[in-house]
Amino acid sequence: MNLEQAITASADRIRATGRTPAIAVVLGSGWDGISEAVEQAIDIPFAELGAFPALSVAGHAGTLRLGAIGGREVALLRGRKHVYETGDAAAMKGVIRTLAAIGCGTVLLTNAAGSLDSAMRPGSLMLINDHLNLVQRTPLHGEPGNERFVNMADAYDPALRAQAHAAAAAAGIALHEGIYAWLLGPQFETPAEIRMLQRLGAQAVGMSTVPETILARHAGLRVLGLSMLTNMGCGMEAEVLSHAHTLHTAEATRETAARALQAIIPALVL
Ligand code: HPA
């Protein structure tokens, strides 16, 4: 089966549930708490969706959960494939194209990230308003036609951002806003790299999301991005970075993140 066939088969499998999600949410580290708030949930393992990746990072379930949040039909992706796992920048291509095929017009991308701004503390949330693709990797190699020259202005939809801010404020959840810098990982940054990113104007750094944003914009989907800041960038403070430390803060912020999504998702005008 080639990718096109896998996308068609995956879209058929999702359509067979009778659900028609208008928004998909890719759940990064710490963001999975929202899964418990889904009403009338139907789970489809990624293994049954040929266009979806097999996952290897522990703690990622690898399930598509269809259901409703605050009356809104959603598709939650419990787990994602990172470029650092295989080096494949197009690892999420089948997922994003399947979402487009089922008529899901918006994707909310969530992640865990390091904060580059001392005023944005670990355990807080940041709306992504733009990104830096310093890696200069793309999931669009091999794509035909002029559509590949994707306009990346306002890639993170300004209207959705305004609605997200309003919804978070109404729910009493602080939401920072800033630029997300993508580095490949899986190693954390050096202190010199963190200083470089700060000089370049980024507020957060992470190892995901950017390839998915590019894929989504190429597929014509609107994008909203949210970062959970799990730590200060390496060298900014005395703390020693580790994956365990990141997961610890992510766990402690799980409830806030779920509340934010519960407020934001139904409030978006799709
Ligand atoms: N750097 C890169 N990715 C991350 C970080 C970080 O400090 N924290 C969580 N994801």
Side-chain angles (χ1 to χ4, degrees):
M1 213 187 324
N2 66 28
L3 184 63
E4 289 314 314
Q5 292 165 328
I7 289 166
T8 303
S10 299
D12 286 346
R13 172 73 180 87
I14 296 168
R15 274 195 216 98
T17 64
R19 301 292 171 83
T20 51
I23 181 167
V25 189
V26 177
L27 297 171
S29 304
W31 288 93
D32 191 59
I34 190 68
S35 297
E36 292 147 29
V38 173
E39 298 139 33
Q40 294 144 16
I42 298 177
D43 284 339
I44 309 176
F46 284 4
E48 291 178 25
L49 299 167
F52 283 49
L55 299 187
S56 55
V57 176
H60 287 179
T63 315
L64 183 71
R65 175 164 289 184
L66 303 167
I69 294 171
R72 168 150 274 154
E73 292 247 0
V74 296
L76 300 187
L77 276 105
R78 306 184 69 190
R80 65 145 61 83
K81 195 86 176 168
H82 299 87
V83 181
Y84 63 66
E85 295 175 64
T86 60
D88 178 11
M92 292 289 282
K93 186 190 279 192
V95 171
I96 299 294
R97 300 271 167 92
T98 300
L99 294 174
I102 62 168
C104 180
T106 299
V107 63
L108 199 174
L109 302 170
T110 67
N111 61 47
S115 172
L116 303 172
D117 180 336
S118 31
M120 296 187 187
R121 306 306 303 170
S124 62
L125 306 179
M126 187 192 94
L127 193 63
I128 301 173
N129 61 18
D130 205 345
H131 73 223
L132 287 172
N133 179 359
L134 293 167
V135 176
Q136 282 297 296
R137 299 281 304 275
T138 175
L140 302 181
H141 278 156
E143 290 298 326
N146 287 344
E147 295 76 32
R148 79 185 109 169
F149 302 109
V150 181
N151 185 337
M152 292 300 289
D154 291 333
Y156 300 88
D157 194 279
L160 295 179
R161 271 155 46 201
Q163 292 153 16
H165 270 307
I173 298 164
L175 197 55
H176 301 296
E177 179 166 331
I179 296 169
Y180 174 89
W182 175 40
L183 291 185
L184 206 46
Q187 74 286 349
F188 285 114
E189 299 71 39
T190 64
E193 285 165 346
I194 292 297
R195 290 192 296 274
M196 169 188 77
L197 296 173
Q198 290 171 323
R199 286 184 174 212
L200 293 178
Q203 279 73 44
V205 57
M207 306 174 191
S208 68
T209 304
V210 166
E212 291 136 317
T213 297
I214 296 168
L215 285 165
R217 295 307 298 142
H218 181 248
L221 304 187
R222 298 167 78 197
V223 176
L224 188 64
L226 285 168
S227 291
M228 172 191 287
L229 303 173
T230 53
N231 55 276
M232 302 310 294
C234 177
M236 289 176 68
E237 294 185 356
E239 67 180 332
V240 176
L241 293 196
S242 68
H243 188 56
H245 177 267
T246 299
L247 290 183
H248 180 78
T249 313
E251 193 55 41
T253 314
R254 184 182 160 89
E255 213 182 294
T256 308
R259 277 200 302 120
L261 292 182
Q262 252 180 308
I264 290 169
I265 290 168
L268 298 174
V269 182
L270 303 180

